[in-house]
Amino acid sequence: MGKKFCISSLASIITGALLVASVILSSGCDFTDSDSSDLGFMPAMSGTEAGIVLDAGDIEFYTVPSSLPSGDHGDIIKYREAEVNIPGAPSVNAWNVMYYSTDSLGVPNIVTGTVIVPTKLWSLFSNRPIIAYAIGTHGLCQTCAPSVQMKAGLDYESENLAQILNQNYAVVITDNPGYTIDAIPTYMSGKAQGHSLLDMVTAAGKLSPANLSKNAKVAIWGYSQGGQTASFAGELQPAYAPDINLVGVAAGGVPADFFAVAPYLDGKNGSAFLLSTVIGLWSQYPEGIPLPDLANAEGMAAIAEARTMCVFEALFTYMNTPLSTFVTGNTPFEELVAIPSVNETLDAQTLGRSPIEVPVFMYHGTSDEFIELEQCLKLKERYCDLGVNTTFMVFAGEHITTQFQASPYVLNWIAQRLDGDEAIGTCGNPGWRPQTTANPPEGDFIVSLNAWALDAVVHLKTLMQRVTLPSTSTFTCDNNMTTKKLTGNMEVPEFKANINVILPLQVKMIITGVGDSPLTGDVNLDENGILHVHGHMMTDIRIQSITMLGIPIGTYVHTKDPVDFPIDFDGPISALGSGKLTFTGTTRFSSMTGNWLFNGLFTSLMSGSGQTFEFTVSPPSPILW
């Protein structure tokens, strides 16, 4: 068919099926601030996703031109200067690009993406490296596309992008296939995603204002859906894009085997991902996933509704809903998988059948409640058996926290590859195997922080002194995202603190939680990926012993009433794993009691309002496997 793009009948088939459902709910996927029905491909939709409405310029850019030039995969169709709002990033120049790619069936398709280049100069003696960043699940609505989310300053992966850009690397992000106007994302179609990422790199090298070399060193990085994309891109690169100077692939939380991953999602916390996968694979493989023949009326309504949602809204909407709910006759998942065409389609997404010719860094959270740990361990073993130089790291986090907990380690590994250092893999027999510590994947969705490091400082107002808690202090909590309730505690070992009055006193201090659950409150993850935590940590502060000039002079005074440390945070979900989960505030210490000789002294020194504090919670260190 040459390389000229042809509009596939697939979009028409799927759009027709959605129209049959005649249900487009008002949860919102607005494409324009005018009547969406004017676009002629979908009925008008009220509301907006994440407050985003595409303006006329955006609609024009994401609309495939009616007349297209001939082109090969990786060729640019059009581009424009882009606005990207990435908190914490340096000054950058950015462009949106529409380019040719290839879907999972080898058919040419058209994809959009973003190229971001720091304004700070790179070395005069080498080419600026490129990080091809494969995004995780964003949702099926067009406004969920990373290029749209970054313009609005709402992309939940901004933390990772900022870290890349602060290393002065260029970063390229594909939206993945299906985010042009009048298209359906081919979500979780591994080859299509891998092709689109590789072609995004090629297109960036052809974007003259970006001034990126076609010979630049390239590293690929992705997590979750992005981990699948990164792995497929690595496997496909030697044959599909051999001119890319690939030096390493980092892939975390990888759904490597759908036959293992899907049952872990079906009817459980991650049910939304399975529903989206069915829609995405149907979009790419209409004969393999005969959805119009399988879906019941409730299923067709869910398909229409899911098309209007981004990831976090969909996550809570379909949580713990079995796929059989949406299937004629409520056919269970294991019978659906046994349908030959379905089985073949799922099998086509299996990773680890082809080697990656550059070093690979894999990582996973031992508490992952969405992507099963064991199937990812097996992918590492398959790569090792194929001779791939593979390093595997496990983190004490669940799916969301691990994504950001791992970032510094990933970037350090990537920097070593870009510097030409030899990768020392972990394919030898380690003598142990990581075991899951995940909360039950069904029922309430609970994000647990188990004995995470607590870096805490309390500023005593009257003394104008700061008391630093021991470095071995820990913070434990359960964030129940279903009930939106927070419970937990902090553990602070007995420690010594110096208090300077007329003569320096040294006190041995103990801070303990009060009650069965000293930490209580509310927690919420909104549709924009913003975490809201509002609670109270009730503690008892005890002076166990007092010495002056090394001479014991008294023991045991403590706050008469519990000290209430307000635990408040409103910020990106990335803070859960990035070490940026910080609680600051002001509290009041009650009068002191317990030893009549010293009650008055320590009441005057430590009690009263205006005591400030800063608590920062960060994850445990990972382990190589």
Side-chain angles (χ1 to χ4, degrees):
M1 60 184 299
K3 291 295 181 179
K4 186 172 182 178
F5 179 82
C6 297
I7 297 179
S8 171
S9 61
L10 177 57
S12 300
I13 294 171
I14 295 173
T15 301
L18 295 176
L19 291 173
V20 169
S22 68
V23 180
I24 299 293
L25 301 183
S26 61
S27 49
C29 189
D30 272 3
F31 296 97
T32 176
D33 50 7
S34 62
D35 185 356
S36 297
S37 61
D38 291 341
L39 297 177
F41 69 93
M42 191 171 285
M45 302 179 188
S46 61
T48 60
E49 172 57 48
I52 298 175
V53 179
L54 295 186
D55 60 27
D58 285 332
I59 292 171
E60 189 282 327
F61 182 78
Y62 291 102
T63 300
V64 176
S66 57
S67 178
L68 287 165
S70 296
D72 202 350
H73 63 85
D75 284 350
I76 295 174
I77 297 169
K78 59 181 176 179
Y79 69 89
R80 65 175 182 182
E81 291 185 359
E83 178 183 355
V84 293
N85 294 293
I86 302 174
S91 174
V92 299
N93 293 316
W95 300 265
N96 293 140
V97 178
M98 178 179 283
Y99 60 97
Y100 289 105
S101 190
T102 311
D103 72 8
S104 291
L105 302 176
V107 177
N109 61 357
I110 290 178
V111 186
T112 54
T114 306
V115 178
I116 310 175
V117 181
T119 57
K120 182 180 178 180
L121 293 177
W122 187 258
S123 168
L124 296 175
F125 306 103
S126 63
N127 299 314
R128 187 190 301 269
I130 299 171
I131 309 299
Y133 189 83
I135 51 94
T137 302
H138 273 52
L140 301 181
C141 178
Q142 201 280 335
T143 56
C144 309
S147 57
V148 178
Q149 294 284 309
M150 284 188 288
K151 178 180 178 180
L154 294 172
D155 197 287
Y156 73 92
E157 297 193 62
S158 290
E159 171 70 24
N160 288 352
L161 298 175
Q163 290 189 39
I164 294 171
L165 294 166
N166 278 307
Q167 296 295 318
N168 209 20
Y169 303 141
V171 61
V172 300
I173 307 106
T174 177
D175 287 335
N176 279 324
Y179 289 96
T180 53
I181 300 298
D182 198 8
I184 305 289
T186 57
Y187 176 69
M188 298 306 289
S189 299
K191 289 184 179 179
Q193 292 171 180
H195 289 153
S196 70
L197 186 65
L198 294 169
D199 289 328
M200 185 73 239
V201 175
T202 301
K206 297 178 179 180
L207 183 65
S208 56
N211 196 30
L212 297 173
S213 172
K214 298 177 182 178
N215 301 316
K217 291 182 178 180
V218 175
I220 292 172
W221 176 15
Y223 183 82
S224 193
Q225 178 196 5
Q228 182 206 28
T229 301
S231 301
F232 263 107
E235 292 185 12
L236 295 166
Q237 181 268 332
Y240 184 79
D243 293 337
I244 291 178
N245 185 12
L246 187 63
V247 299
V249 173
V254 182
D257 180 349
F258 279 24
F259 297 105
V261 173
Y264 199 67
L265 298 173
D266 187 34
K268 301 180 175 66
N269 291 168
S271 296
F273 302 125
L274 184 57
L275 175 62
S276 297
T277 296
V278 170
I279 297 170
L281 293 181
W282 166 45
S283 177
Q284 176 66 88
Y285 304 91
E287 296 181 358
I289 308 290
L291 204 53
D293 298 332
L294 295 172
N296 57 22
E298 188 174 353
M300 295 304 290
I303 292 167
E305 183 183 42
R307 280 275 295 115
T308 70
M309 294 179 175
C310 291
V311 56
F312 295 111
E313 183 182 5
L315 173 66
F316 291 105
T317 299
Y318 300 107
M319 189 170 286
N320 299 319
T321 305
L323 194 63
S324 60
T325 304
F326 306 127
V327 180
T328 300
N330 299 127
T331 305
F333 178 77
E334 56 269 21
E335 292 184 25
L336 294 172
V337 175
I339 299 172
S341 65
V342 174
N343 192 281
E344 181 180 351
T345 299
L346 296 181
D347 185 66
Q349 316 315 316
T350 302
L351 285 160
R353 290 173 175 161
S354 300
I356 297 176
E357 296 184 356
V358 296
V360 173
F361 181 88
M362 297 181 64
Y363 56 102
H364 210 99
T366 55
S367 298
D368 197 317
E369 73 281 65
F370 295 143
I371 307 298
E372 189 201 34
L373 171 65
E374 178 61 25
Q375 57 88 41
C376 200
L377 301 180
K378 290 178 179 177
L379 175 62
K380 180 242 186 176
E381 292 171 332
R382 289 198 296 273
Y383 280 148
C384 288
D385 290 342
L386 290 169
V388 179
N389 183 343
T390 308
T391 301
F392 198 101
M393 189 173 280
V394 287
F395 290 81
E398 54 75 67
H399 192 72
I400 296 174
T401 59
T402 297
Q403 175 166 15
F404 304 102
Q405 185 182 350
S407 300
Y409 300 91
V410 175
L411 277 171
N412 181 63
W413 184 88
I414 286 175
Q416 293 173 356
R417 306 291 75 76
L418 294 172
D419 289 343
D421 297 342
E422 181 182 0
I424 307 299
T426 60
C427 279
N429 182 7
W432 67 285
R433 192 175 191 85
Q435 300 296 315
T436 181
T437 57
N439 289 320
E442 60 278 312
D444 287 357
F445 173 31
I446 300 174
V447 177
S448 297
L449 311 184
N450 294 316
W452 283 32
L454 174 63
D455 181 7
V457 175
V458 178
H459 299 264
L460 302 177
K461 179 181 178 181
T462 302
L463 291 172
M464 294 186 290
Q465 294 177 32
R466 52 185 282 156
V467 175
T468 301
L469 274 59
S471 60
T472 52
S473 302
T474 61
F475 184 91
T476 296
C477 71
D478 284 336
N479 301 275
N480 191 318
M481 301 298 187
T482 302
T483 64
K484 300 183 180 180
K485 293 300 180 183
L486 170 72
T487 57
N489 194 8
M490 64 180 185
E491 296 287 340
V492 181
E494 181 180 285
F495 66 101
K496 295 179 180 179
N498 293 317
I499 296 178
N500 295 313
V501 284
I502 297 174
L503 291 174
L505 299 178
Q506 186 176 75
V507 299
K508 188 175 289 184
M509 190 176 294
I510 298 176
I511 300 178
T512 56
V514 175
D516 294 335
S517 180
L519 172 61
T520 57
D522 300 319
V523 61
N524 178 47
L525 179 62
D526 70 23
E527 295 172 8
N528 296 331
I530 302 301
L531 180 69
H532 305 277
V533 178
H534 300 287
H536 300 271
M537 177 75 77
M538 307 303 293
T539 64
D540 176 67
I541 298 180
R542 175 177 300 188
I543 305 298
Q544 188 71 11
S545 64
I546 309 164
T547 61
M548 179 182 293
L549 302 176
I551 302 172
I553 61 172
T555 61
Y556 188 54
V557 295
H558 67 99
T559 47
K560 184 177 181 180
D561 301 316
V563 176
D564 179 0
F565 288 102
I567 302 298
D568 294 303
F569 178 84
D570 294 279
I573 186 64
S574 60
L576 268 179
S578 66
K580 295 183 179 179
L581 184 61
T582 298
F583 307 109
T584 60
T586 303
T587 188
R588 179 184 183 277
F589 289 5
S590 69
S591 60
M592 307 297 285
T593 187
N595 186 326
W596 66 272
L597 286 173
F598 292 94
N599 291 342
L601 172 63
F602 279 90
T603 294
S604 64
L605 294 178
M606 296 179 60
S607 298
S609 59
Q611 321 293 341
T612 61
F613 66 93
E614 180 176 299
F615 297 164
T616 298
V617 180
S618 54
S621 297
I623 303 172
L624 286 170
W625 176 71

